[in-house]
Amino acid sequence: MSLQHEACYDGSNRNTMGRLMLLDLDRLCQGGKVMPGGNRDTHVAITFHNATKYAVVGDVANDDTLVWGAPPDPDSSGYTPDVALQPLPYKIYETLAPLPLPDASAPSALPGLEAIARTGAEPTGEAIPDRSTLARIARLSNGLLGRQANSWDGKTIEFRTVGSTGALYHLEVYFVCADLPDLDAGIYHYAAHDHSLRQLRAGDVRQVIVAASGGELALAEAPVILALTSTFWRNAWYYRSRAYRHTYWDAGTALSHVLAVAAARALPTRLVLGYADAAVNDLLGLNGVREATVALCAIGRTARPLPTAAMLPPVDHPTRPLSLHEVTFRVIPMMHQASALESGASSSAWRAAPLRRRSPEPQGPLTPLQPLPAEHLPATPIEDLILRRRSTRHYDRETPMSFAAFSTLLERSSRGVAADCLASDAPPLHDLYLIVHNVEGLAPGVYLHHPQRHAVEVLREGDFRAQAQRLTVGQEPPRDAHVNCYYLADLDPILECYGNRGYRLAQLGCSLSAGKLHLGTHAMGLGAVGSTALDDEVIAFFSPHAVGKSYMFVTVFGKRRSRPA
Ligand SMILES: Cc1cc2nc3c(=O)[nH]c(=O)nc-3n(C[C@H](O)[C@H](O)[C@H](O)COP(=O)(O)O)c2cc1C
């Protein structure tokens, strides 16, 4: 990948000498510290979002005409990935003994599309996972798939069961457990490279996380708390500061697997984003800058009382180095720190009044969706969907996709998830805009999904294949796929309600829906691939409807075609 560092796509970013004005990171970060401001001081999220925008200079959108940030982020603009520094995609504790896990991917009885649609709040009694359930959740959300390929830089990629931006696999899964039927209470890291657990701490210390969350009830009742972390450098090595967006894109994708696999085992789940970051990171032995917790998930339910945790000594088990050295892209720690919560009390205050935004009112004709009834859903279980899921880059663009498949996927991927900071009966924080190229019974064009009305609204008819390719930096799958799904959010009310942390939530919510949709396509004999896009051009394309919104995420799906010879 190469960049035109000198190029400026927007004249307003030039100073009087005609030189490119870069983002003044030193001023913003004040030597590493974020400028003061309360929870509702949201300039950091906006600065981060702008600093990680993709834009293109000129008529052709490709890697060579890409500009990083508006105004450009100096750390990213002046950087080229050094193949010699490519990070190891695994966290390997050098001194801890592995606890072997069963394979545990045998199919469950529930149709995969039903598991995907569950929110995690469906009523259950006591539900306590065992070691093989943890093995199943970990392998199917972050484990190895058993397939390899050669990457552009001559290395071997070991694919995982979940997609990941650039196949860079920067996420880690930890379990904080009570005593389970066949596993002692403790904190365990899931080691993807050898499909095992390693115990970081012994004993039931869930209370520390519950306190850090301000007493979140689902966490207090959960026999297992999953902590998902990112080691930012593992993605930033290639994607620079945009890696922090990818953190939440990939986390939402992985969590769509976690939630569906748990649902298929009748385990309740609740996503928790309100927690004191440092307290959780300290418990896991993370410094919170290089590797940090990005989401928690309560799994299962138990009536057994939560034991109090004694004062805990720090843990610092040695791990294998990832690279000869690591590069820091300053907007990442800036954004993560500015969106941190400090205490249990601030966490419960943070989630106390979730945003209830109003969905856009339809302004034009609605087409009601016609999803398959539950009894006609394909029976393929979630485990099979996950093991057969891949990123689909070749589409049979001439053959239309059925309206029933289109409707079923939109409907089943948009029912939301149970989360500490979201109102279960409120609309999602994002709007889903669609570019429809070839769906039976729908004129090609631009549509808006109205999940609460179970309908799509046509905004503009036309053939937009060329624009779809341009918007995604010249990539072919968005041109050829049957549907492009753009998740856009109005960041102002989100940040107003949730402060800078709302940015984490907004990104995560979009990729979670997209992750569900991606899994669902494989139940319908279709395929999908996540993508990336030119932020401001996306908004211009969907405007005037999308004025004021921000581009969050795009995924495309459709009928697969075998790879051309
Ligand atoms: C959030 C996200 C964004 C992605 N963006 C792109 C993209 O812009 N272009 C692309 O070709 N693939 C994209 N991918 C697909 C990854 O490259 C793919 O997941 C990875 O190479 C692993 O392959 P697999 O999904 O077939 O297992 C994306 C995947 C995810 C999860």
Side-chain angles (χ1 to χ4, degrees):
M1 176 181 276
S2 63
L3 291 169
Q4 294 196 351
H5 308 312
E6 290 76 32
C8 181
Y9 63 93
D10 176 353
S12 65
N13 287 335
R14 285 182 187 275
N15 65 14
T16 49
M17 305 290 289
R19 290 173 50 196
L20 188 67
M21 284 172 65
L22 298 172
L23 180 68
D24 188 350
L25 272 174
D26 290 334
R27 188 182 60 78
L28 263 171
C29 301
Q30 292 185 339
K33 287 206 170 63
V34 175
M35 287 163 72
N39 195 33
R40 298 297 178 262
D41 178 359
T42 58
H43 76 280
V44 178
I46 297 297
T47 302
F48 170 81
H49 190 71
N50 290 336
T52 54
K53 280 182 174 175
Y54 277 167
V56 148
V57 204
D59 296 336
V60 182
N62 63 34
D63 285 352
D64 293 336
T65 55
L66 205 57
V67 175
W68 299 67
D73 162 23
D75 291 356
S76 294
S77 299
Y79 173 89
T80 308
D82 177 354
V83 172
L85 288 186
Q86 179 166 3
L88 184 69
Y90 306 107
K91 181 170 195 180
I92 300 181
Y93 284 96
E94 306 261 41
T95 56
L96 300 178
L99 251 155
L101 291 173
D103 169 43
S105 48
S108 51
L110 197 69
L113 276 167
E114 184 57 44
I116 287 163
R118 299 238 165 130
T119 66
E122 290 75 14
T124 62
E126 183 150 277
I128 301 181
D130 59 7
R131 188 193 291 213
S132 97
T133 308
L134 298 194
R136 179 181 291 263
I137 291 173
R139 166 142 198 254
L140 295 175
S141 65
N142 202 34
L144 291 179
L145 184 63
R147 291 180 69 160
Q148 301 176 332
N150 293 325
S151 74
W152 59 274
D153 57 3
K155 302 231 166 91
T156 302
I157 302 175
E158 288 282 357
F159 286 108
R160 306 274 184 109
T161 51
V162 69
S164 170
T165 41
L168 291 167
Y169 305 116
H170 52 102
L171 302 177
E172 297 293 336
V173 166
Y174 298 79
F175 294 111
V176 183
C177 305
D179 268 326
L180 303 181
D182 52 1
L183 188 69
D184 292 338
I187 301 185
Y188 297 89
H189 168 252
Y190 174 68
H193 71 287
D194 62 3
H195 184 58
S196 66
L197 295 178
R198 282 174 175 73
Q199 193 186 59
L200 309 183
R201 289 183 190 272
D204 189 342
V205 296
R206 289 172 299 142
Q207 170 64 35
V208 177
I209 298 204
V210 174
S213 73
E216 210 286 328
L217 190 60
L219 287 180
E221 291 180 347
V224 173
I225 299 168
L226 182 149
L228 192 65
T229 72
S230 170
T231 306
F232 303 120
W233 163 241
R234 276 166 40 188
N235 193 271
W237 165 73
Y238 189 80
Y239 290 108
R240 309 152 215 208
S241 49
R242 198 154 157 121
Y244 192 74
R245 294 194 189 192
H246 296 183
T247 293
Y248 288 92
W249 292 2
D250 290 331
T253 309
L255 285 165
S256 69
H257 291 218
V258 168
L259 301 185
V261 171
R265 314 302 293 176
L267 290 164
T269 48
R270 189 169 177 85
L271 215 57
V272 177
L273 257 75
Y275 54 87
D277 295 70
V280 174
N281 290 330
D282 287 350
L283 184 73
L284 301 177
L286 315 176
N287 77 359
V289 175
R290 192 170 163 270
E291 181 183 0
T293 308
V294 297
L296 300 172
C297 184
I299 300 179
R301 182 167 299 129
T302 176
R304 277 185 275 162
L306 188 68
T308 49
M311 278 287 289
L312 295 170
V315 284
D316 189 16
H317 304 291
T319 57
R320 193 170 297 174
L322 301 177
S323 305
L324 289 174
H325 69 263
E326 300 182 10
V327 178
T328 300
F329 297 86
R330 286 170 290 170
V331 293
I332 294 179
M334 175 187 87
M335 178 58 206
H336 198 63
Q337 193 185 331
S339 56
L341 293 169
E342 282 173 5
S343 64
S346 52
S347 302
S348 48
W350 178 77
R351 73 168 73 86
L355 181 61
R356 289 176 177 280
R357 72 176 194 112
R358 287 196 25 216
S359 303
E361 282 297 315
Q363 294 159 8
L366 292 178
T367 305
L369 295 173
Q370 291 168 9
L372 291 174
E375 62 276 17
H376 291 155
L377 286 180
T380 326
I382 188 66
E383 294 80 5
D384 287 357
L385 293 185
I386 290 176
L387 294 176
R388 74 168 70 149
R389 184 216 59 84
R390 301 310 308 278
S391 291
T392 300
R393 297 194 176 80
H394 301 282
Y395 293 90
D396 176 2
R397 51 185 275 174
E398 307 309 331
T399 313
M401 198 180 100
S402 78
F403 188 62
F406 170 83
S407 303
T408 305
L409 290 168
L410 288 194
E411 221 278 307
R412 296 236 154 218
S413 62
S414 60
R415 293 192 190 170
V417 300
D420 66 327
C421 49
L422 297 174
S424 59
D425 55 348
L429 301 184
H430 57 261
D431 291 317
L432 175 54
Y433 289 77
L434 305 158
I435 308 178
V436 171
H437 295 324
N438 197 359
V439 175
E440 231 164 32
L442 272 188
V446 176
Y447 291 78
L448 180 69
H449 181 211
H450 290 276
Q452 294 178 315
R453 295 171 189 265
H454 308 285
V456 290
E457 173 190 359
V458 64
L459 300 181
R460 188 157 103 235
E461 287 188 11
D463 177 343
F464 297 112
R465 287 189 189 271
Q467 290 88 333
Q469 180 171 17
R470 157 96 194 179
L471 291 178
T472 50
V473 201
Q475 298 189 73
E476 291 175 358
R479 179 195 66 193
D480 297 341
H482 296 64
V483 182
N484 290 198
C485 299
Y486 275 90
Y487 298 83
L488 310 187
D490 184 352
L491 284 176
D492 285 347
I494 296 173
L495 299 178
E496 177 70 26
C497 178
Y498 297 105
N500 287 311
R501 203 177 185 86
Y503 188 77
R504 301 187 189 183
L505 177 61
Q507 292 284 13
L508 192 75
C510 297
S511 55
L512 240 165
S513 291
K516 287 178 175 227
L517 186 137
H518 192 149
L519 288 172
T521 58
H522 287 269
M524 306 299 296
L526 307 170
V529 62
S531 197
T532 200
L534 304 173
D535 294 76
D536 291 345
E537 290 198 26
V538 168
I539 301 307
F541 177 77
F542 289 109
S543 288
H545 199 283
V547 165
K549 295 183 186 170
S550 293
Y551 156 73
M552 297 278 111
F553 189 60
V554 51
T555 204
V556 308
F557 69 98
K559 272 177 115 71
R560 294 192 299 258
R561 172 169 70 94
S562 46
R563 196 184 247 272

